[in-house]
Amino acid sequence: MPPRDPRLEHLLSAVAGGDEAAFANLYQATSSKLLGVALRILRNRELAEEVLQEAFFKVWERAGDYNPAIAAP
């Protein structure tokens, strides 16, 4: 498992509570790396951006399900 990142864990916890500022910070901290991964897989920027948008929508919806004992953020 990748090393724990307490900052991301804290942001996910705050997002689970509906904190929009925490969501913006989480997006800022992770979106470029995740977009890069999506681009490498899909090789299409438009599709990669759609996937990223959908992924962050799911993060907003399901942040309360995150369990740091099971996976790193």
Side-chain angles (χ1 to χ4, degrees):
M1 180 164 43
R4 293 180 64 177
D5 186 335
R7 179 174 173 253
L8 294 181
E9 289 179 11
H10 172 74
L11 288 172
L12 278 171
S13 177
V15 170
D19 185 334
E20 293 178 13
F23 184 73
N25 288 331
L26 180 67
Y27 181 87
Q28 185 69 30
T30 60
S31 62
S32 61
K33 184 174 186 175
L34 295 176
L35 180 60
V37 171
L39 277 169
R40 273 184 259 133
I41 293 168
L42 298 170
R43 296 194 166 117
N44 178 302
R45 184 167 191 92
E46 186 176 320
L47 289 177
E49 288 173 353
E50 286 181 35
V51 166
L52 186 68
Q53 181 179 359
E54 186 64 28
F56 275 97
F57 178 75
K58 291 292 183 188
V59 168
W60 178 257
E61 282 188 326
R62 311 271 322 245
D65 295 341
Y66 172 67
N67 181 344
I70 295 174

